[in-house]
Amino acid sequence: VLRYVPLRRFTFRVAASDEPNAAIIGKFKRRSRIVDAYNRLTAVTDAIDRAPVSFAVPDPIWLDHARCLYFQEAQPGDNLAALLDQHSMRTLLHRVGALHHELHQLDVSNVPSWDLDAFLRDLLHDVFWIMFFQPHHAVLLTHVQRLLFKTMPLVSTSMYRLCHGDFVCSQLLVADDRWSVTDWDLCHCGDPYLDMAVLLTSLPYDVPLFAEQASQPHLAHAELLEAACASYLAGYKDAAGQALDTPRLLWYRLCTEIRYLALMFKKDWFQPAACDQAFERVRSLSAQLQEAGGLR
């Protein structure tokens, strides 16, 4: 069903042997990752058993370590990324924001903690990777790199919460009013603002609505994307009952824009128009971060 050849993993759907109309999801991963991924999912479902939430998570079923496989419950519903259109976008993304805040409140033990040093190393690697393919943007990227290290927020483990690790719309399934969150292989304890930034940055890559709009005049595309981000953030803020840390979120958003730009080349996603729009977002976020940090 889903193939990830460079990472030697794939996901598939099969009928349950004892229930012909039911299905289960199987995941094949490299041997060094399979047990860890299964244990992370188990930790999340254990937490939900202790403190129920408004969304569902697939229950783990069986780990076949010898074959590098594990199986989990299949959840009903349609992929949220495919459901978003200009009419439903604001309401649905507001719900996503509230759901994401609820996810961050889950008390989950036995998952790894986020590695800030590794994150910064990967950030530098991504900057150099983009420069290799887009050398004419070297001045901008050098400026962004310096800005990010100059404005890096204080990262304290006291702020860590459960993070999904890859919280994007295509990981959410919607069946009427039942919502499910899938693919917990990368969940960890970390800074929730990074998790939020991943969702915001992923929209033009993960949601067909924004890919379709990319061919429209740039201003129309940018305005639609801005409205989508605002709806998600309003939902998160309403659920949290307090204002968000705007400079912190801007910092992570700029980091994740760099990450997704690098993925264009690492995963052969490159399209000239999409790349140009990504660089425009990098410029805009850089200017906003400078202003938020009082820099000129």
Side-chain angles (χ1 to χ4, degrees):
V1 174
L2 299 176
R3 301 177 183 177
Y4 311 88
V5 175
L7 297 177
R8 299 201 302 271
R9 61 189 172 103
F10 63 88
T11 301
F12 57 96
R13 183 184 181 96
V14 295
S17 58
D18 54 345
E19 297 181 50
N21 295 324
I24 59 175
I25 300 297
K27 288 195 171 188
F28 172 85
K29 300 176 74 71
R30 63 177 68 191
R31 191 174 301 278
S32 61
R33 301 291 301 277
I34 189 69
V35 174
D36 176 64
Y38 188 80
N39 288 342
R40 294 191 201 206
L41 176 60
T42 301
V44 172
T45 55
D46 286 348
I48 289 176
D49 287 341
R50 297 191 302 269
V53 291
S54 66
F55 58 90
V57 170
D59 285 329
I61 297 174
W62 176 48
L63 171 65
D64 185 343
H65 188 217
R67 294 179 175 84
C68 300
L69 283 169
Y70 79 79
F71 296 91
Q72 65 184 38
E73 176 187 22
Q75 293 293 320
D78 295 314
N79 182 325
L80 177 64
L83 295 176
L84 292 172
D85 58 37
Q86 293 194 51
H87 303 291
S88 65
M89 177 189 76
R90 289 168 176 80
T91 300
L92 290 174
L93 286 172
H94 189 280
R95 173 73 184 271
V96 172
L99 184 154
H100 205 183
H101 177 266
E102 185 180 14
L103 184 159
H104 287 154
Q105 306 314 301
L106 271 173
D107 182 15
V108 177
S109 57
N110 302 321
V111 295
S113 291
W114 179 54
D115 188 337
L116 173 61
D117 290 338
F119 178 80
L120 295 175
R121 286 196 301 271
D122 290 343
L123 176 64
L124 289 173
H125 183 269
D126 286 342
V127 168
F128 289 122
W129 184 269
I130 300 165
M131 281 185 185
F132 178 78
F133 288 98
Q134 299 280 298
H136 54 290
H137 286 300
V139 172
L140 171 63
L141 291 167
T142 300
H143 164 72
V144 168
Q145 178 181 309
R146 291 172 178 167
L147 176 65
L148 286 171
F149 279 87
K150 185 182 295 185
T151 60
M152 188 173 73
L154 176 65
V155 178
S156 169
T157 56
S158 64
M159 301 179 66
Y160 281 13
R161 299 290 184 270
L162 172 69
C163 294
H164 182 275
D166 191 21
F167 191 82
V168 299
C169 289
S170 58
Q171 308 286 27
L172 305 177
L173 299 177
V174 182
D176 296 324
D177 200 42
R178 175 191 171 98
W179 289 55
S180 304
V181 183
T182 65
D183 200 353
W184 292 85
D185 295 1
L186 299 177
C187 72
H188 59 275
C189 286
D191 192 331
Y193 278 89
L194 173 56
D195 223 31
M196 297 164 66
V198 168
L199 183 282
L200 294 168
T201 306
S202 72
L203 291 175
Y205 299 90
D206 184 55
V207 178
L209 169 65
F210 300 110
E212 295 165 1
Q213 287 291 317
S215 61
Q216 303 299 317
H218 176 68
L219 183 60
H221 172 73
E223 288 178 347
L224 186 71
L225 186 59
E226 183 179 351
C229 293
S231 297
Y232 162 80
L233 291 172
Y236 195 100
K237 179 181 175 182
D238 290 347
Q242 61 185 33
L244 300 177
D245 185 340
T246 299
R248 190 180 199 88
L249 181 59
L250 283 170
W251 190 84
Y252 281 116
R253 287 185 67 180
L254 187 51
C255 289
T256 52
E257 282 289 355
I258 293 297
R259 176 195 168 202
Y260 269 85
L261 252 174
L263 286 176
M264 279 192 183
F265 304 103
K266 293 178 182 179
K267 293 192 173 184
D268 195 25
W269 294 348
F270 177 79
Q271 294 180 351
C275 185
D276 290 344
Q277 289 166 1
F279 274 109
E280 283 301 315
R281 291 192 295 272
V282 167
R283 291 188 183 93
S284 175
L285 289 167
S286 298
Q288 292 176 61
L289 182 58
Q290 281 186 275
E291 183 176 352
L295 300 175
R296 293 290 182 270

